[in-house]
Amino acid sequence: MAVTKPRKYTGTSDGASKGKRAGLEEFVRQVEALSNGALWNNGTWVVRNKRGSETLSVHATGRAVDLSWRKVGDKGRVNGREKALEVIDLLVANANFLRIELILDYFPGPHGRGWRCDRQAWQNYSMHTMASAPGGDWFHIEVAPMLADDAAQYKVRFDKIRAGR
C-alpha cells in the first residue's frame, strides 16, 4: 500500500471567487456520473459565511460542493446513502490524485465526521462541530486551488480512476 503524505489544508486562504470555477463544476459532474445518480449537486459557489459563523465559507472560493444523497423527485436514488458511501470511499482512496482537501459527512451521530488532507484520515467528531449534524443528508467536499479551474484535468483523472489506474 502506498504511503500517503499529508497535504496542507487551504481553507479560505485564497479568498472569494467571482463565480463558479470550471474545475470544481467538472468534478461535480464526474462524481454524479460515478455515483450513477446517487449523489447530486446541492450547491457549489455562493459568497456567504459558514452557517453560524463570521468566517467565510469555502463555497465562496468556488472550491466546495454539497452533494446530496437523498431521494427528491427525479434526483437521487432510493437507498442512495449506501451507493454514496461507496463513491465517498473511492474519493478518499484517490483524494491526493483528485486534490480533495476535505470531506464532511453530516449524517452519522453523534456529531458527524470529517476527512482532511492534512491528517489523511476520518475523524468522528465528539462535540457539535458542524451545523446540521447529525442527520444531514449530504457530503460537503472541497478541492485544492490547483485544480479548481482545470475541468480538462478532472476529466482525465476520473477516466484514469474508472480505468483502475
Side-chain angles (χ1 to χ4, degrees):
M1 182 174 187
V3 175
T4 54
K5 291 186 176 184
R7 291 179 285 119
K8 183 179 180 203
Y9 174 67
T10 306
T12 58
S13 65
D14 56 336
S17 172
K18 293 184 192 294
K20 291 183 178 188
R21 297 175 73 173
L24 177 72
E25 298 302 315
E26 184 60 34
F27 174 90
V28 171
R29 284 189 289 276
Q30 294 290 329
V31 172
E32 287 176 326
L34 194 63
S35 77
N36 197 23
L39 288 166
W40 52 274
N41 185 352
N42 198 24
T44 56
W45 176 76
V46 61
V47 178
R48 65 168 175 81
N49 288 337
K50 292 179 190 176
R51 285 190 176 88
S53 172
E54 296 299 316
T55 306
L56 191 66
S57 167
V58 177
H59 284 281
T61 71
R63 297 184 297 99
V65 60
D66 290 335
L67 292 170
S68 183
W69 47 265
R70 74 182 174 275
K71 175 77 173 125
V72 177
D74 63 347
K75 295 180 179 180
R77 293 183 7 194
V78 174
N79 298 322
R81 181 163 171 83
E82 184 178 320
K83 176 63 177 175
L85 285 171
E86 292 173 18
V87 173
I88 292 299
D89 288 345
L90 183 64
L91 294 178
V92 168
N94 290 281
N96 286 340
F97 184 58
L98 295 171
R99 306 316 281 178
I100 294 170
E101 291 194 344
L102 176 73
I103 301 174
L104 298 176
D105 182 357
Y106 295 82
F107 187 73
H111 303 290
R113 65 183 183 142
W115 181 95
R116 269 184 49 162
C117 62
D118 56 357
R119 67 174 172 257
Q120 295 286 313
W122 284 102
Q123 177 181 355
N124 293 318
Y125 297 128
S126 59
M127 57 187 244
H128 185 73
T129 306
M130 304 180 295
S132 302
D137 55 13
W138 70 94
F139 297 94
H140 171 90
I141 302 175
E142 299 174 10
V143 300
M146 72 176 283
L147 290 182
D149 297 309
D150 198 340
Q153 190 57 228
Y154 269 124
K155 286 180 185 177
V156 168
R157 291 178 187 221
F158 274 95
D159 285 346
K160 288 182 178 182
I161 290 169
R162 281 187 197 88
R165 294 180 282 170

